[in-house]
Amino acid sequence: MSFICIDAMASLARPSGKSRVTRADFIGWCDKYLKSNTQQQYQYSGKDVYAARCALLHTYGTTAELHDKSDIMKFLYHDCNHLMHQLYAEENTVVISTKSLVISTKSLVIDVCTAVDSFIAECTSTASLGDLVVSRLDEIITVVPYSAHS
């Protein structure tokens, strides 16, 4: 759901006149708004987050085609009580020097919520962005009347 949220925010923030959100929009939104707590060893990269999103969405796992590149971190998820992300080099992988990140799902959700708060604050303080986002709100979820027939 965090990745869907980022997709939605990136779509709302895409440049005016652009009809669809793209990979670059997603990555740019993450690079601008998604920040780890300063005590975290890992600080988010939009490319890493996009690869994690693709892995979950397209393979239902943690590896996507983008992980073939040695500069893309792979997210592994845990639900332990601590909120720290842990970096380590994977062993026994085909791609040499692939790195992985064990990320706290709770921390990721908190970081995404904080990013959304920052985005909303910018929408409030920057009229052009706020107007653009408001003009696109109907694109997110369209509700139509429904009548059940018996």
Side-chain angles (χ1 to χ4, degrees), residues 41-52:
Q41 182 181 3
Y42 172 76
Q43 295 300 311
Y44 295 104
S45 155
K47 288 181 182 179
D48 294 345
V49 178
Y50 187 77

mmCIF file with all atom_site columns, all heavy atoms in Angstrom, residues 41-52:
data_model
loop_
_atom_site.group_PDB
_atom_site.id
_atom_site.type_symbol
_atom_site.label_atom_id
_atom_site.label_alt_id
_atom_site.label_comp_id
_atom_site.label_asym_id
_atom_site.label_entity_id
_atom_site.label_seq_id
_atom_site.pdbx_PDB_ins_code
_atom_site.Cartn_x
_atom_site.Cartn_y
_atom_site.Cartn_z
_atom_site.occupancy
_atom_site.B_iso_or_equiv
_atom_site.pdbx_formal_charge
_atom_site.auth_seq_id
_atom_site.auth_comp_id
_atom_site.auth_asym_id
_atom_site.auth_atom_id
_atom_site.pdbx_PDB_model_num
ATOM 1  N N   . GLN A 1 41 ? 20.991 3.978  8.766   1.00 0.00 ? 41 GLN A N   1
ATOM 2  C CA  . GLN A 1 41 ? 22.188 3.764  7.963   1.00 0.00 ? 41 GLN A CA  1
ATOM 3  C C   . GLN A 1 41 ? 21.862 3.992  6.480   1.00 0.00 ? 41 GLN A C   1
ATOM 4  O O   . GLN A 1 41 ? 22.669 4.526  5.744   1.00 0.00 ? 41 GLN A O   1
ATOM 5  C CB  . GLN A 1 41 ? 22.695 2.335  8.181   1.00 0.00 ? 41 GLN A CB  1
ATOM 6  C CG  . GLN A 1 41 ? 23.952 2.002  7.433   1.00 0.00 ? 41 GLN A CG  1
ATOM 7  C CD  . GLN A 1 41 ? 24.390 0.567  7.670   1.00 0.00 ? 41 GLN A CD  1
ATOM 8  O OE1 . GLN A 1 41 ? 23.721 -0.202 8.364   1.00 0.00 ? 41 GLN A OE1 1
ATOM 9  N NE2 . GLN A 1 41 ? 25.512 0.197  7.113   1.00 0.00 ? 41 GLN A NE2 1
ATOM 10 N N   . TYR A 1 42 ? 20.668 3.614  6.073   1.00 0.00 ? 42 TYR A N   1
ATOM 11 C CA  . TYR A 1 42 ? 20.252 3.740  4.675   1.00 0.00 ? 42 TYR A CA  1
ATOM 12 C C   . TYR A 1 42 ? 19.340 4.953  4.502   1.00 0.00 ? 42 TYR A C   1
ATOM 13 O O   . TYR A 1 42 ? 18.399 5.140  5.256   1.00 0.00 ? 42 TYR A O   1
ATOM 14 C CB  . TYR A 1 42 ? 19.501 2.477  4.232   1.00 0.00 ? 42 TYR A CB  1
ATOM 15 C CG  . TYR A 1 42 ? 18.873 2.602  2.860   1.00 0.00 ? 42 TYR A CG  1
ATOM 16 C CD1 . TYR A 1 42 ? 19.646 2.520  1.719   1.00 0.00 ? 42 TYR A CD1 1
ATOM 17 C CD2 . TYR A 1 42 ? 17.515 2.817  2.728   1.00 0.00 ? 42 TYR A CD2 1
ATOM 18 C CE1 . TYR A 1 42 ? 19.076 2.643  0.456   1.00 0.00 ? 42 TYR A CE1 1
ATOM 19 C CE2 . TYR A 1 42 ? 16.924 2.943  1.471   1.00 0.00 ? 42 TYR A CE2 1
ATOM 20 C CZ  . TYR A 1 42 ? 17.720 2.857  0.341   1.00 0.00 ? 42 TYR A CZ  1
ATOM 21 O OH  . TYR A 1 42 ? 17.148 2.985  -0.898  1.00 0.00 ? 42 TYR A OH  1
ATOM 22 N N   . GLN A 1 43 ? 19.630 5.742  3.501   1.00 0.00 ? 43 GLN A N   1
ATOM 23 C CA  . GLN A 1 43 ? 18.760 6.856  3.106   1.00 0.00 ? 43 GLN A CA  1
ATOM 24 C C   . GLN A 1 43 ? 18.172 6.490  1.747   1.00 0.00 ? 43 GLN A C   1
ATOM 25 O O   . GLN A 1 43 ? 18.894 6.044  0.853   1.00 0.00 ? 43 GLN A O   1
ATOM 26 C CB  . GLN A 1 43 ? 19.541 8.161  3.034   1.00 0.00 ? 43 GLN A CB  1
ATOM 27 C CG  . GLN A 1 43 ? 20.080 8.615  4.386   1.00 0.00 ? 43 GLN A CG  1
ATOM 28 C CD  . GLN A 1 43 ? 18.977 8.858  5.410   1.00 0.00 ? 43 GLN A CD  1
ATOM 29 O OE1 . GLN A 1 43 ? 17.994 9.533  5.127   1.00 0.00 ? 43 GLN A OE1 1
ATOM 30 N NE2 . GLN A 1 43 ? 19.134 8.313  6.607   1.00 0.00 ? 43 GLN A NE2 1
ATOM 31 N N   . TYR A 1 44 ? 16.877 6.658  1.580   1.00 0.00 ? 44 TYR A N   1
ATOM 32 C CA  . TYR A 1 44 ? 16.182 6.213  0.378   1.00 0.00 ? 44 TYR A CA  1
ATOM 33 C C   . TYR A 1 44 ? 16.760 6.798  -0.899  1.00 0.00 ? 44 TYR A C   1
ATOM 34 O O   . TYR A 1 44 ? 17.167 7.952  -0.947  1.00 0.00 ? 44 TYR A O   1
ATOM 35 C CB  . TYR A 1 44 ? 14.694 6.586  0.440   1.00 0.00 ? 44 TYR A CB  1
ATOM 36 C CG  . TYR A 1 44 ? 13.940 5.881  1.525   1.00 0.00 ? 44 TYR A CG  1
ATOM 37 C CD1 . TYR A 1 44 ? 13.587 6.546  2.690   1.00 0.00 ? 44 TYR A CD1 1
ATOM 38 C CD2 . TYR A 1 44 ? 13.568 4.548  1.387   1.00 0.00 ? 44 TYR A CD2 1
ATOM 39 C CE1 . TYR A 1 44 ? 12.884 5.904  3.697   1.00 0.00 ? 44 TYR A CE1 1
ATOM 40 C CE2 . TYR A 1 44 ? 12.862 3.902  2.392   1.00 0.00 ? 44 TYR A CE2 1
ATOM 41 C CZ  . TYR A 1 44 ? 12.533 4.587  3.541   1.00 0.00 ? 44 TYR A CZ  1
ATOM 42 O OH  . TYR A 1 44 ? 11.838 3.957  4.526   1.00 0.00 ? 44 TYR A OH  1
ATOM 43 N N   . SER A 1 45 ? 16.739 5.994  -1.929  1.00 0.00 ? 45 SER A N   1
ATOM 44 C CA  . SER A 1 45 ? 17.020 6.413  -3.298  1.00 0.00 ? 45 SER A CA  1
ATOM 45 C C   . SER A 1 45 ? 15.759 6.110  -4.088  1.00 0.00 ? 45 SER A C   1
ATOM 46 O O   . SER A 1 45 ? 15.191 5.012  -3.960  1.00 0.00 ? 45 SER A O   1
ATOM 47 C CB  . SER A 1 45 ? 18.196 5.609  -3.851  1.00 0.00 ? 45 SER A CB  1
ATOM 48 O OG  . SER A 1 45 ? 18.139 5.558  -5.260  1.00 0.00 ? 45 SER A OG  1
ATOM 49 N N   . GLY A 1 46 ? 15.305 7.062  -4.891  1.00 0.00 ? 46 GLY A N   1
ATOM 50 C CA  . GLY A 1 46 ? 14.099 6.844  -5.687  1.00 0.00 ? 46 GLY A CA  1
ATOM 51 C C   . GLY A 1 46 ? 14.205 5.613  -6.568  1.00 0.00 ? 46 GLY A C   1
ATOM 52 O O   . GLY A 1 46 ? 13.233 4.872  -6.744  1.00 0.00 ? 46 GLY A O   1
ATOM 53 N N   . LYS A 1 47 ? 15.400 5.354  -7.114  1.00 0.00 ? 47 LYS A N   1
ATOM 54 C CA  . LYS A 1 47 ? 15.593 4.167  -7.962  1.00 0.00 ? 47 LYS A CA  1
ATOM 55 C C   . LYS A 1 47 ? 15.396 2.885  -7.165  1.00 0.00 ? 47 LYS A C   1
ATOM 56 O O   . LYS A 1 47 ? 14.800 1.933  -7.650  1.00 0.00 ? 47 LYS A O   1
ATOM 57 C CB  . LYS A 1 47 ? 16.986 4.173  -8.590  1.00 0.00 ? 47 LYS A CB  1
ATOM 58 C CG  . LYS A 1 47 ? 17.169 5.192  -9.672  1.00 0.00 ? 47 LYS A CG  1
ATOM 59 C CD  . LYS A 1 47 ? 18.591 5.097  -10.234 1.00 0.00 ? 47 LYS A CD  1
ATOM 60 C CE  . LYS A 1 47 ? 18.844 6.129  -11.296 1.00 0.00 ? 47 LYS A CE  1
ATOM 61 N NZ  . LYS A 1 47 ? 20.226 6.027  -11.812 1.00 0.00 ? 47 LYS A NZ  1
ATOM 62 N N   . ASP A 1 48 ? 15.920 2.864  -5.937  1.00 0.00 ? 48 ASP A N   1
ATOM 63 C CA  . ASP A 1 48 ? 15.764 1.677  -5.086  1.00 0.00 ? 48 ASP A CA  1
ATOM 64 C C   . ASP A 1 48 ? 14.292 1.435  -4.755  1.00 0.00 ? 48 ASP A C   1
ATOM 65 O O   . ASP A 1 48 ? 13.805 0.299  -4.789  1.00 0.00 ? 48 ASP A O   1
ATOM 66 C CB  . ASP A 1 48 ? 16.536 1.839  -3.771  1.00 0.00 ? 48 ASP A CB  1
ATOM 67 C CG  . ASP A 1 48 ? 18.034 1.899  -3.931  1.00 0.00 ? 48 ASP A CG  1
ATOM 68 O OD1 . ASP A 1 48 ? 18.553 1.542  -5.016  1.00 0.00 ? 48 ASP A OD1 1
ATOM 69 O OD2 . ASP A 1 48 ? 18.698 2.318  -2.960  1.00 0.00 ? 48 ASP A OD2 1
ATOM 70 N N   . VAL A 1 49 ? 13.595 2.507  -4.417  1.00 0.00 ? 49 VAL A N   1
ATOM 71 C CA  . VAL A 1 49 ? 12.180 2.390  -4.037  1.00 0.00 ? 49 VAL A CA  1
ATOM 72 C C   . VAL A 1 49 ? 11.361 1.952  -5.251  1.00 0.00 ? 49 VAL A C   1
ATOM 73 O O   . VAL A 1 49 ? 10.484 1.094  -5.137  1.00 0.00 ? 49 VAL A O   1
ATOM 74 C CB  . VAL A 1 49 ? 11.645 3.710  -3.438  1.00 0.00 ? 49 VAL A CB  1
ATOM 75 C CG1 . VAL A 1 49 ? 10.167 3.581  -3.084  1.00 0.00 ? 49 VAL A CG1 1
ATOM 76 C CG2 . VAL A 1 49 ? 12.455 4.108  -2.213  1.00 0.00 ? 49 VAL A CG2 1
ATOM 77 N N   . TYR A 1 50 ? 11.670 2.500  -6.417  1.00 0.00 ? 50 TYR A N   1
ATOM 78 C CA  . TYR A 1 50 ? 10.949 2.101  -7.629  1.00 0.00 ? 50 TYR A CA  1
ATOM 79 C C   . TYR A 1 50 ? 11.190 0.621  -7.940  1.00 0.00 ? 50 TYR A C   1
ATOM 80 O O   . TYR A 1 50 ? 10.257 -0.107 -8.281  1.00 0.00 ? 50 TYR A O   1
ATOM 81 C CB  . TYR A 1 50 ? 11.348 2.971  -8.825  1.00 0.00 ? 50 TYR A CB  1
ATOM 82 C CG  . TYR A 1 50 ? 10.499 2.678  -10.035 1.00 0.00 ? 50 TYR A CG  1
ATOM 83 C CD1 . TYR A 1 50 ? 9.199  3.174  -10.116 1.00 0.00 ? 50 TYR A CD1 1
ATOM 84 C CD2 . TYR A 1 50 ? 10.974 1.889  -11.074 1.00 0.00 ? 50 TYR A CD2 1
ATOM 85 C CE1 . TYR A 1 50 ? 8.392  2.891  -11.213 1.00 0.00 ? 50 TYR A CE1 1
ATOM 86 C CE2 . TYR A 1 50 ? 10.174 1.602  -12.170 1.00 0.00 ? 50 TYR A CE2 1
ATOM 87 C CZ  . TYR A 1 50 ? 8.888  2.103  -12.241 1.00 0.00 ? 50 TYR A CZ  1
ATOM 88 O OH  . TYR A 1 50 ? 8.096  1.809  -13.319 1.00 0.00 ? 50 TYR A OH  1
ATOM 89 N N   . ALA A 1 51 ? 12.427 0.165  -7.791  1.00 0.00 ? 51 ALA A N   1
ATOM 90 C CA  . ALA A 1 51 ? 12.734 -1.252 -8.022  1.00 0.00 ? 51 ALA A CA  1
ATOM 91 C C   . ALA A 1 51 ? 11.983 -2.135 -7.024  1.00 0.00 ? 51 ALA A C   1
ATOM 92 O O   . ALA A 1 51 ? 11.445 -3.189 -7.395  1.00 0.00 ? 51 ALA A O   1
ATOM 93 C CB  . ALA A 1 51 ? 14.242 -1.498 -7.931  1.00 0.00 ? 51 ALA A CB  1
ATOM 94 N N   . ALA A 1 52 ? 11.898 -1.703 -5.772  1.00 0.00 ? 52 ALA A N   1
ATOM 95 C CA  . ALA A 1 52 ? 11.158 -2.465 -4.753  1.00 0.00 ? 52 ALA A CA  1
ATOM 96 C C   . ALA A 1 52 ? 9.678  -2.518 -5.102  1.00 0.00 ? 52 ALA A C   1
ATOM 97 O O   . ALA A 1 52 ? 9.024  -3.563 -4.959  1.00 0.00 ? 52 ALA A O   1
ATOM 98 C CB  . ALA A 1 52 ? 11.362 -1.838 -3.377  1.00 0.00 ? 52 ALA A CB  1
#
